[in-house]
Amino acid sequence: MPPKKKTDAAVAPPKEDVVMEDEPAVDEIEQTDSANPAIYDGQRILTLSGGDAFNMSFEFQKEDHTLGNALRYIIMKNPDVEFCGYSIPHPSEALMNIRIQTYPPYTARDALKKGFDDLIDLCDVVTDKFSAAKENFVKEAQDAMEV
């Protein structure tokens, strides 16, 4: 059997190469959302579609399990929250999604804000206790060296 001849479509001219420096970085791409994304200290948080005021999903850019698990734990401590869970859509993407369901009239957005505040308060307590323990350790070490 003779070899097949190349068709005109198979020998089409190659497409022009795109230089990667010409393409905008992921951080530079403007993402829009009809619910107006919230910005906390430069971190963009998008409200994902679907749900209502009491059932919402949020997308965090440049976040992973470190914030996801801590925030989920703190939000679930709130008695007005029915469900809170987070997921990382893919390990190679720097995205974290969190889903919050609340009992009316408490909104999911309020639960997220309270979760941020409670997590900040918890971090402040840990920092204060760590600093006090460190000062105590240094003082005891200095006292032991003097004796």
Side-chain angles (χ1 to χ4, degrees):
M1 184 182 283
K4 293 183 178 181
K5 294 183 179 180
K6 294 182 180 179
T7 61
D8 291 336
V11 271
K15 294 182 179 180
E16 184 178 325
D17 288 339
V18 177
V19 180
M20 292 307 289
E21 290 87 30
D22 295 342
E23 294 297 313
V26 173
D27 296 335
E28 298 171 3
I29 297 173
E30 185 65 31
Q31 295 185 4
T32 58
D33 187 41
S34 60
N36 296 329
I39 298 176
Y40 299 97
D41 294 331
Q43 173 67 49
R44 184 165 284 224
I45 302 170
L46 300 173
T47 303
L48 300 177
S49 62
D52 53 23
F54 310 109
N55 304 297
M56 297 180 87
S57 294
F58 304 93
E59 179 181 90
F60 293 73
Q61 296 177 355
K62 299 182 184 176
E63 292 299 340
D64 58 10
H65 294 284
T66 305
L67 178 67
N69 194 32
L71 192 57
R72 179 204 58 82
Y73 175 79
I74 293 294
I75 291 173
M76 281 301 297
K77 290 287 187 181
N78 186 340
D80 294 321
V81 174
E82 181 179 3
F83 171 80
C84 181
Y86 81 97
S87 66
I88 305 297
H90 193 276
S92 67
E93 296 177 7
L95 295 175
M96 178 198 60
N97 296 331
I98 191 163
R99 173 84 174 166
I100 303 172
Q101 292 177 228
T102 60
Y103 297 109
Y106 197 71
T107 66
R109 194 175 301 270
D110 291 339
L112 181 63
K113 288 178 184 177
K114 185 176 182 334
F116 283 138
D117 292 339
D118 291 349
L119 187 57
I120 289 170
D121 292 343
L122 178 65
C123 290
D124 290 342
V125 169
V126 170
T127 301
D128 292 344
K129 288 189 176 192
F130 177 80
S131 297
K134 179 184 171 190
E135 289 173 11
N136 188 29
F137 176 79
V138 170
K139 183 180 176 186
E140 288 177 5
Q142 289 173 350
D143 291 345
M145 294 180 93
E146 291 175 2
V147 173

